[in-house]
Structures are given as structure tokens and as C-alpha cells.
Amino acid sequence: MSVTAASGFAAAGVVAGLKSSGKRDLAIVQNLGPLASAAAVFTTNRCKANPVLWSEQVIADGVVSAIVLNSGGANCYTGARGFQTTHETAETVAERLEISAGDVLVCSTGLIGDQLDLDLLKAGVWDATLALQSAGSDGPDAGLAAAEAIMTTDAKPKEAVQVSPAGWTVGGMAKGAGMLAPGLATMLVVLTTDAPLDSEQLDSALRQATRVTFDRLDSDGCMSTNDTVALLASGAIGVNTDLDEFTAALTEVCRSLAEQLQADAEGASHDIAIEVVNARTEDDAVAVGRSVSRSNLFKAAIFGNDPNWGRVLAAVGTTDAEFDPYAIDVAINGVQVCVAGEPGQPRELVDLTPRAAHVLIDLHAGEATATILTNDLTHDYVHENSAYAS
């Protein structure tokens, strides 16, 4: 189970006809209460899709009763007509569920620059709301159907759950396989909890969780226009909730979803964790890890099973982080290939045939650390993204 694991939520995923594949392409997650508190974070791209512009207004008061998501079109750079489509989609959900349109988040994903078919969207909302009213809309099958409906180039749905000893639950679903880079990575994520938390508490927990998970997923260095991570609380489990404990559980759900996004990245053959240790500051550690993750030379080398640690150091040296360039250590999959800026163990000892690859960079400049998740650069990635719109 994912978004329906927490009490007080129902979900549905249906075929609206927005995708030519005939697969599910519209989902609704409804918060049944008694609370309707919420928080959300969005792409930091200045070029934002219409659903993001709408949802930024909706979340301002911290109240959300439902979220509607579609694949099959991003509804971005579609002008006033596109924003009206978003507005009318929210209005249709509100009418069907007898809630306010101002309490409906809207998310879209797919190709930029194409208008969505409003009639298909409305018909899909009708079918989804009928499904919400049926038995089983709060069960695992309903959660899975919703997770499938938001997929684009994803190979499989992404779901995660954490249950606390106190009895409250955090569940989540995500989509994303390409354009994975901060802010947030190219994703739609819905997180739910039955803990009785208000919107300020949810916002604090969500920003702490995304900062060390989704914001450190950097698969291909490309930032989306539609990224949305929403957290909804029903308060259906009326038990005292420690905010630190909740934040830790939420972070684990986000980490699991981020790792699933990484593992499903378009065409990837290696999942790479770039761990930077002993940095002067956490920001320095993030900057160094991100620079390596965005080096096409490094990513191509990993694809070719070539432990070319010189490409790691070359990327590290482009940052403004504080370190001595000739005191850096680098290990790849446990082999210390560079020690204090000089050759260490023979690179031939590094085994890069497994899918998992770990790069450890020791800056010897402080005590801060950070890990960036990325993937290799493959022929399949180039092929898939050369034909995305065809």
C-alpha cells in the first residue's frame, strides 16, 4: 500500500484517454479527514507549469481535501487556455466530491507545449470519483492504481510506507524516470499520514525530508517545470505525535521513493551514490557531490565500467568548496584509487559490473557530509530522450 496505507484516505486511478497507450492516466487522492491539513513544495524552475501555478495558490492556507493528477501531458506553456483547463479540472473534482475547488491540488506530467483535452479530463474525473465512492477505494489495489496512473516513462510504480510504534502511518507514491535534478527531481509525489499534525508542522517536516532525499537526487542534471511533492494529513489516528519522530519516518519514505526513482532512471545501467565526507560545510559537500554527478565524462566512464578517478577530481575542482586539491582521497566501490591527490590502489581492482556503484570523496576539510544519487550516461538514455516527443 502507499497513499492508502494511512487511515482517512481514498484513491483511484483510471483511464481517461490522455495517453495513446490506453493505460491509466488520471488519479485522485481524497483526504476523508477529520483534518485536511497539508504542505507542499514545488519546482524551483522559474518556468512553471499551470498546475504548479494553481497549486501554489491552493496550498497557501494549508488546507487540501483532494489532489488530482494526470499523466499524458504537462499542461506547461499552454497559455491562458491551459490555466483554465487546470482550474476547470479542480472545479470538476470539487463538484463531484462536494468540496471547495480552492482545496484541490492539481498535478500534471508529460510533454510540454501540448494542450490537454478538457473533455477527457472531466470524464476521467467523473470515473475516478465514482471509483472513490466504491468499496475498496482505501485499499492497496486503489493505491497501486493511483500510482500507476501517474507514470510516464516509468517502468514501474513507486510506493513506500512507514508505520510508527504509536500507530500512525506515513505512505507515499511517486513518479519519475527522467529530468531528475533539483529542485526536487522531476517528479510528482503524494505523501499521506493519519497523524494529527497541522500545516505548519507538516511544512517543517516536509522541507527537512525533501532537503536530504529528493533534493539530492540528480540523475541527469535537468530540472522539470512540474515538480510537486505534497503531504496531506487526515488526523484519523488521534494519538500524540512527536514531530521529530514523524520527520524521521517521513524522511525514510522520501528516501525510499527517491531511491526507487534513481533505480528506474531512463536507460540507466548503474545506480551511483556519490558520498562526500569531511567537507568544510554541508553545502560544500552537496556542491562537490553534485558537480561529480553532472559530469558527463564521469557518468560515461561508469557506463563503460571504467573507474576513471581523474574525472572525479576534475569535477570536484570546478566547485567553490573549501579544500586542498592535493589532499583529496577517492575510493570507488571500496577500492582506494586516489590517496592525497596521488594514485592509490590499482584501478583494475575496481569491479563496476554490479549495478550499484559507490564513490567516496574525502575532502579532509571539516566534518560535514552529503550523498548525491545519480546514474550513468548510457546509449539507451540518449535514444529514449531523442524520441520522447515522437
Side-chain angles (χ1 to χ4, degrees):
M1 293 193 292
S2 59
V3 291
T4 53
S7 303
F9 291 94
V14 300
V15 177
L18 300 170
K19 289 180 180 176
S20 59
S21 64
K23 296 181 179 180
R24 291 188 177 101
D25 51 15
L26 187 139
I28 296 179
V29 178
Q30 183 180 11
N31 185 348
L32 301 172
L35 298 181
S37 50
V41 287
F42 303 95
T43 181
T44 56
N45 196 322
R46 292 169 59 197
C47 300
K48 299 178 182 180
N50 286 308
V52 172
L53 298 173
W54 168 268
S55 295
E56 285 178 330
Q57 299 175 37
V58 169
I59 202 64
D61 64 357
V63 176
V64 172
S65 298
I67 179 168
V68 56
L69 313 94
N70 74 269
S71 53
N75 195 5
C76 179
Y77 280 101
T78 49
R81 176 182 166 189
F83 188 83
Q84 186 62 30
T85 295
T86 296
H87 189 176
E88 291 196 33
T89 301
E91 291 279 5
T92 304
V93 172
E95 180 181 355
R96 293 287 298 152
L97 298 181
E98 298 182 347
I99 57 178
S100 169
D103 296 336
V104 179
L105 293 176
V106 181
C107 300
S108 299
T109 181
L111 189 64
I112 294 172
D114 285 354
Q115 296 287 353
L116 286 170
D117 188 314
L118 182 57
D119 290 337
L120 291 178
L121 276 170
K122 287 184 173 181
V125 168
W126 183 278
D127 290 342
T129 52
L130 286 177
L132 285 174
Q133 297 163 8
S134 65
S137 63
D138 58 352
D141 290 344
L144 177 59
E148 290 175 344
I150 61 176
M151 293 166 53
T152 50
T153 59
D154 306 63
K156 53 189 175 183
K158 289 90 176 172
E159 301 176 290
V161 174
Q162 286 278 313
V163 181
S164 76
W168 48 262
T169 296
V170 179
M173 67 177 186
K175 68 76 51 181
M179 289 182 75
L180 295 176
L184 298 180
T186 224
M187 62 175 73
L188 301 182
V189 179
V190 180
L191 303 160
T192 57
T193 184
D194 43 26
L197 298 173
D198 61 34
S199 60
E200 290 186 4
Q201 292 172 310
L202 295 179
D203 185 74
S204 173
L206 181 61
R207 292 181 186 278
Q208 290 183 64
T210 57
R211 183 182 67 83
V212 296
T213 58
F214 296 128
D215 278 345
R216 293 187 183 173
L217 175 62
D218 203 330
S219 179
D220 55 15
C222 298
M223 184 191 297
S224 172
T225 56
N226 291 60
D227 301 337
T228 301
V229 181
L231 172 60
L232 283 58
S234 69
I237 301 296
V239 296
N240 290 332
T241 303
D242 179 82
L243 186 57
D244 289 339
E245 182 183 354
F246 176 80
T247 301
L250 178 67
T251 300
E252 286 307 306
V253 170
C254 291
R255 178 171 290 111
S256 173
L257 292 172
E259 290 174 350
Q260 292 177 57
L261 293 170
Q262 179 196 25
D264 196 26
E266 294 167 344
S269 63
H270 287 88
D271 302 326
I272 309 167
I274 303 170
E275 182 181 2
V276 181
V277 299
N278 296 322
R280 179 71 179 85
T281 65
E282 185 177 348
D283 286 345
D284 277 2
V286 171
V288 166
R290 199 176 310 289
S291 180
V292 176
S293 77
R294 293 185 175 181
S295 166
N296 285 338
L297 286 176
F298 163 75
K299 292 155 74 76
I302 298 298
F303 169 60
N305 296 338
D306 176 11
N308 191 335
W309 55 269
R311 293 179 177 178
V312 174
L313 292 180
V316 172
T318 65
T319 72
D320 293 329
E322 294 184 39
F323 56 82
D324 179 349
Y326 304 102
I328 301 173
D329 299 337
V330 178
I332 301 177
N333 278 2
V335 179
Q336 198 74 42
V337 290
C338 173
V339 179
E342 297 183 10
Q345 294 176 274
R347 68 183 69 196
E348 291 77 19
L349 296 177
V350 180
D351 182 8
L352 283 171
T353 54
R355 184 175 178 95
H358 180 258
V359 178
L360 179 65
I361 304 169
D362 190 337
L363 296 179
H364 294 288
E367 299 179 351
T369 183
T371 299
I372 301 295
L373 304 179
T374 191
N375 306 93
D376 54 353
L377 178 60
T378 69
H379 303 302
D380 288 342
Y381 174 84
V382 174
H383 174 73
E384 185 163 343
N385 285 281
S386 68
Y388 184 77
S390 60

